[in-house]
C-alpha cells in the first residue's frame, strides 16, 4: 500500500484549513475549544490516530469527540490508546505540534512523524471514532474520519456514545473480546448481567429504597441511561431528567451540581432524602445529591464515592481471605475530611497525585486493587492480573464471596471513569449495606471548601510540585499562602494553573464556611497580586467592598 502525503495536504487545503493561529495544547482532556475552530484539529487527529495505530502494530486506537462538562458551543477531541488509557505523554507532544503547524507545513510535519517513529505506512491501521450529542459533533466526526482515510487507514464510526463506552470498545477490540464484545449491546450486556446477578430479587434492603432520580445533563448519558432501563427488567427504578430538550450542561450535570452545590434545572421536587444522581455531558463523571427534611442540599461527590467503594472492596478482600494490596488515589482537591477518614478509619493507604485522570490511573496500577476518584466524580477501580487470578482461583474452589467479587469486577468499567458503571456499583453497595443517603453521608463530615478562578496574563507563571500542593513560582507566593492558611482553623489551600485557559485555580478549605470563603479570597488576592492578575476585581464573600489592584 502506497501513501502520497500530498493527499493529506490536499484534504487540509480544500476542506480543513486552519481558522485560528492561536496555539493550542493537548492536555489531560485532549484539545478543547469553540467548535467553530476545531475542524482542522479534528482532521489532523484522524491522521495522528492512524499513525499511532501503525506504530502499535495495527492495534485499535480510539478517538472521542466531546467537550465533556463544557458548555454547548465547545467541543473537543482526545485519543485513546489500546489498553483504554489516555494517549501516551510523548505523543501528546506530537499531537500538539501537529495541531499547531500551518497548512503549508502539514505535509512536512506528517512526514517528520513517520520518519522519527519509523512508521511502516504500508501496515494496517485501525481507528474507532465516537462522539457526544452536540449539534456540531457529526461535522467534526467526519473531519476525523477523513484524516484516517487520507492515510488509507481503517475507520469504524460508532456514532453517539459516552466517552466510557468508547474506551470500552477499544479495550474489547484489542483483547479480542476477552474484556467484552466491542459493541453497544456488548457494553450493556456486560454491565447489566453482572448488576442483575448481584442484586437478585432483593431490590430493597434496610433503609435502601429502589428509586433513583437521574440528571442526564442533556447529554449522551441520558440517552444511554434510557437504553439501560429498557434492558434491566426493573431491577433499578430510575427516572431520567434533562434528557436532551435543553442545552448540554446548562444549569445541570455533575459539574454544575458539584460547583454550584444545588439541584440541577428541570429536576422535580423530590421527597426528602431521595437519592439523586448527576452525570456530565459525556457521562464520565458522576455525583450523588439529596435534599433533607429541612430543605438543605447535600452533595455526595467523588470523595464520598471513593470511600464507599474502598470500604466495600476492602471488606470483600477480607471475606475472600485473600492477601491483596488495596489503595486509594486522590488529588489535592480531595476533601481533607475524606482523607482522614480513609487513612484513620478505613486503614486504606492513600496516594496523592497531580490533577488529571491519567495521573490517577497510572498510580492506581501500582496496587492489586487501585481505587481512584477525583472530587468531581471522575474515577473507577483497576484490578491487577494478580488480583483477578487470585479471585478467580478462590471462586473456582467454591468460595461464594469470590464468585460475588467476580461479578463486582464485571460491573466496573476499569478502562476509565464511567458515570453509569460507577452508579451501578454505588447502588449495589448501598443495597448490600441497607443504607440510604443519610447513612452514607454520616460516615464523616466534609470540611467546607471553595474553588475560585483568578484570571492572569499567563498561567505558565504558576508552577507547582508535590502533586500540585506546593507552588514553586512565582517565588514567595507559597510562603504567602502558608501565612494566610495559618490564620484559619483546619485551613488548607493550594493554587494551580488551568490546563486550558489563562486562569489560576484556587482551592481552599477550613473548619467553617465563613473561614473557607475568607481564606479563598485571601489566597485569590495573593495570586492576583503576585502572578499577573487581570480582569474583574475579586469581591470578598462577606463584604460589598471590591478589592482593587
Amino acid at each position: 500500500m502506497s501513501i502520497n502525503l500530498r493527499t493529506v495536504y490536499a484534504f487540509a487545503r480544500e476542506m480543513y484549513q486552519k481558522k485560528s493561529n492561536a496555539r493550542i495544547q493537548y492536555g489531560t482532556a485532549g484539545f478543547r475549544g469553540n467548535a467553530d475552530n476545531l475542524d482542522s484539529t479534528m482532521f489532523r487527529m484522524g491522521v495522528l490516530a492512524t499513525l499511532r495505530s501503525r506504530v502499535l502494530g495495527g492495534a485499535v486506537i480510539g478517538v472521542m469527540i466531546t467537550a465533556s462538562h463544557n458548555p454547548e458551543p465547545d467541543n473537543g477531541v482526545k485519543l485513546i490508546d489500546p489498553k483504554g488509557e489516555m494517549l501516551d505523554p510523548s505523543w501528546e507532544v506530537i499531537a500538539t505540534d501537529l495541531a499547531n503547524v500551518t497548512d503549508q507545513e502539514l505535509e512536512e510535519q506528517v512526514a517528520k512523524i513517520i520518519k522519527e517513529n519509523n512508521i511502516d505506512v504500508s501496515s494496517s491501521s485501525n481507528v474507532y471514532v465516537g462522539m457526544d450529542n452536540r449539534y456540531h459533533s457529526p461535522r467534526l466526526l467526519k473531519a476525523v474520519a477523513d484524516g484516517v482515510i487520507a492515510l488509507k487507514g481503517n475507520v469504524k464510526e460508532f456514532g453517539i456514545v459516552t466517552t466510557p463506552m468508547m474506551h470500552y470498545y477499544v479495550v474489547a477490540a484489542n483483547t479480542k473480546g476477552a474484556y467484552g464484545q466491542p459493541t453497544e449491546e456488548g457494553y450493556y450486556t456486560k454491565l447489566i448481567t453482572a448488576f442483575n446477578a448481584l442484586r437478585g430479587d432483593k431490590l430493597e434492603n434496610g433503609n435502601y429504597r429502589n428509586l433513583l432520580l437521574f440528571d442526564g445533563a442533556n447529554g449522551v448519558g441520558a440517552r444511554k441511561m434510557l437504553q439501560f432501563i429498557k434492558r434491566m427488567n426493573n431491577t433499578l427504578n430510575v427516572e431520567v431528567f434533562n434528557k436532551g430538550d435543553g442545552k448540554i450542561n446548562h444549569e445541570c450535570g455533575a459539574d454544575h451540581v458539584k460547583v454550584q452545590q444545588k439541584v440541577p434545572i428541570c429536576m422535580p421536587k423530590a421527597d426528602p432524602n431521595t437519592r439523586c444522581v448527576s452525570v456530565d455531558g459525556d457521562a464520565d463523571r458522576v455525583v450523588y445529591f439529596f435534599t433533607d427534611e429541612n430543605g438543605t442540599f447535600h452533595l455526595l461527590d467523588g470523595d464520598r464515592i471513593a470511600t464507599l467503594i474502598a470500604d466495600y472492596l476492602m471488606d470483600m478482600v477480607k471475606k475472600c481471605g485473600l492477601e491483596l494490596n488495596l489503595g486509594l488515589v486522590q488529588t489535592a482537591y480531595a476533601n481533607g475530611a475524606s482523607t482522614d477518614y480513609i487513612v484513620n478509619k478505613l486503614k486504606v493507604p492513600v496516594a496523592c497525585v497531580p490533577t488529571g485522570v491519567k495521573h490517577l490511573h497510572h498510580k492506581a496500577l501500582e496496587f492489586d486493587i487501585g481505587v481512584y476518584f477525583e472530587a468531581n466524580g471522575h474515577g473507577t477501580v483497576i484490578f491487577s492480573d494478580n488480583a483477578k487470578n487470585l479471585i478467580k482461583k478462590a471462586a473456582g474452589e467454591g468460595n461464594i464471596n469470590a464468585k460475588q467479587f467476580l461479578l463486582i469486577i464485571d460491573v466496573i468499567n476499569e478502562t476509565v471513569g464511567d458515570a453509569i458503571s460507577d452508579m451501578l456499583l454505588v447502588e449495589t453497595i448501598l443495597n448490600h449495606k441497607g443504607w440510604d443517603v443519610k447513612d452514607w453521608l454520616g460516615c464523616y463530615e466534609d470540611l467546607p471548601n471553595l474553588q475560585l478562578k483568578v484570571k492572569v496574563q499567563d498561567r505558565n507563571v504558576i508552577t507547582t510540585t508535590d502533586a500540585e500542593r506546593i507552588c514553586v513560582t512565582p517565588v514567595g507566593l507559597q510562603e504567602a499562602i502558608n501565612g494566610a492558611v495559618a490564620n484559619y482553623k483546619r485551613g488548607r489551600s493550594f493554587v494551580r494553573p488551568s490546563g486550558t485557559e489563562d486562569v489560576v485555580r484556587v482551592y481552599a478549605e477550613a473548619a467553617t464556611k465563613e473561614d473557607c470563603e475568607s481564606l479563598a479570597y485571601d489566597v485569590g488576592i495573593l495570586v492576583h497580586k503576585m502572578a499577573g492578575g487581570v480582569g474583574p476585581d475579586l469581591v470578598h464573600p462577606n463584604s460589598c467592598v471590591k478589592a482593587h489592584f
Side-chain angles (χ1 to χ4, degrees), residues 1-5 50-51 54-55 110-111 113-115 118-125 151-153:
M1 175 176 60
S2 105
I3 291 177
N4 183 353
L5 293 185
T50 307
L51 296 175
R54 288 192 168 115
V55 162
V110 173
I113 296 170
I114 292 171
K115 180 179 180 180
N118 194 28
I119 298 173
D120 179 2
V121 294
S122 67
S123 62
S124 176
S125 179
L151 283 185
K152 297 186 178 180

Side-chain angles (χ1 to χ4, degrees), residues 433-452:
K433 288 179 172 288
W435 280 8
D436 65 3
V437 281
K438 293 182 73 174
D439 296 318
W440 185 7
L441 185 70
C443 291
Y444 62 87
E445 184 175 355
D446 276 322
L447 289 170
N449 60 92
L450 184 65
Q451 297 182 41
L452 297 178

Side-chain angles (χ1 to χ4, degrees), residues 70-87:
N70 282 34
E72 191 172 79
D74 287 352
N75 217 316
V77 58
K78 53 186 174 184
L79 273 63
I80 303 167
D81 263 357
K83 293 182 180 179
E85 68 271 56
M86 303 300 182
L87 182 64

Side-chain angles (χ1 to χ4, degrees), residues 215-356:
D215 162 32
N218 291 312
V220 64
R223 297 187 182 201
K224 303 310 178 185
M225 191 65 241
L226 292 171
Q227 293 301 316
F228 268 93
I229 292 170
K230 290 180 180 179
R231 294 162 170 80
M232 292 182 73
N233 298 322
N234 299 316
T235 49
L236 182 61
N237 182 14
V238 185
E239 297 180 18
V240 181
F241 302 92
N242 294 316
K243 302 177 185 178
D245 296 332
K247 292 183 179 179
I248 191 169
N249 297 317
H250 178 64
E251 296 186 24
C252 59
D255 197 56
H256 171 82
V257 172
K258 167 68 176 172
V259 174
Q260 300 299 324
Q261 300 274 305
K262 63 182 182 181
V263 176
I265 194 173
C266 296
M267 287 282 279
K269 185 175 181 180
D271 291 337
N273 308 319
T274 299
R275 287 192 320 287
C276 302
V277 66
S278 280
V279 305
D280 63 337
D282 67 334
D284 64 0
R285 295 184 182 186
V286 60
V287 297
Y288 276 72
F289 63 93
F290 71 97
T291 303
D292 65 19
E293 298 88 344
N294 300 315
T296 303
F297 174 90
H298 296 279
L299 175 71
L300 296 150
D301 62 6
D303 294 340
R304 293 278 180 178
I305 294 171
T307 55
L308 181 76
I309 293 173
D311 183 25
Y312 178 75
L313 294 182
M314 182 67 88
D315 186 54
M316 289 294 296
V317 169
K318 291 177 181 176
K319 285 181 177 179
C320 292
L322 301 174
E323 292 292 331
L324 293 173
N325 176 23
L326 186 148
L328 193 147
V329 187
Q330 296 181 319
T331 71
Y333 284 108
N335 194 282
S338 75
T339 307
D340 290 344
Y341 175 75
I342 296 161
V343 173
N344 299 318
K345 178 69 174 177
L346 302 184
K347 307 298 183 183
V348 172
V350 174
C352 187
V353 298
T355 303

Side-chain angles (χ1 to χ4, degrees), residues 500-516:
T500 56
E501 53 185 330
D502 280 324
V503 300
V504 177
R505 302 189 185 278
V506 176
Y507 177 88
E509 65 183 32
T512 68
K513 181 175 182 290
E514 293 73 22
D515 281 357
C516 175

Side-chain angles (χ1 to χ4, degrees), residues 326-456:
L326 186 148
L328 193 147
V329 187
Q330 296 181 319
T331 71
Y333 284 108
N335 194 282
S338 75
T339 307
D340 290 344
Y341 175 75
I342 296 161
V343 173
N344 299 318
K345 178 69 174 177
L346 302 184
K347 307 298 183 183
V348 172
V350 174
C352 187
V353 298
T355 303
V357 175
K358 64 182 179 182
H359 300 299
L360 287 100
H361 191 93
H362 180 75
K363 189 67 177 179
L365 292 171
E366 296 180 10
F367 300 97
D368 283 322
I369 303 175
V371 181
Y372 72 82
F373 271 85
E374 293 184 292
N376 61 27
H378 195 168
T380 189
V381 185
I382 305 174
F383 296 85
S384 69
D385 289 340
N386 177 57
K388 289 179 180 177
N389 289 336
L390 288 176
I391 295 168
K392 287 177 182 176
K393 181 180 178 182
E397 294 171 349
N399 188 314
I400 296 175
N401 290 308
K403 292 178 180 180
Q404 184 181 35
F405 213 155
L406 291 179
L407 292 173
I408 288 292
I409 293 174
D410 276 347
V411 167
I412 296 167
N413 187 350
E414 296 180 70
T415 65
V416 73
D418 184 331
I420 295 177
S421 166
D422 290 338
M423 183 198 78
L424 295 177
L425 178 59
V426 168
E427 293 298 314
T428 296
I429 297 170
L430 293 178
N431 187 10
H432 172 80
K433 288 179 172 288
W435 280 8
D436 65 3
V437 281
K438 293 182 73 174
D439 296 318
W440 185 7
L441 185 70
C443 291
Y444 62 87
E445 184 175 355
D446 276 322
L447 289 170
N449 60 92
L450 184 65
Q451 297 182 41
L452 297 178
K453 292 196 298 186
V454 181
K455 191 171 183 179
V456 294

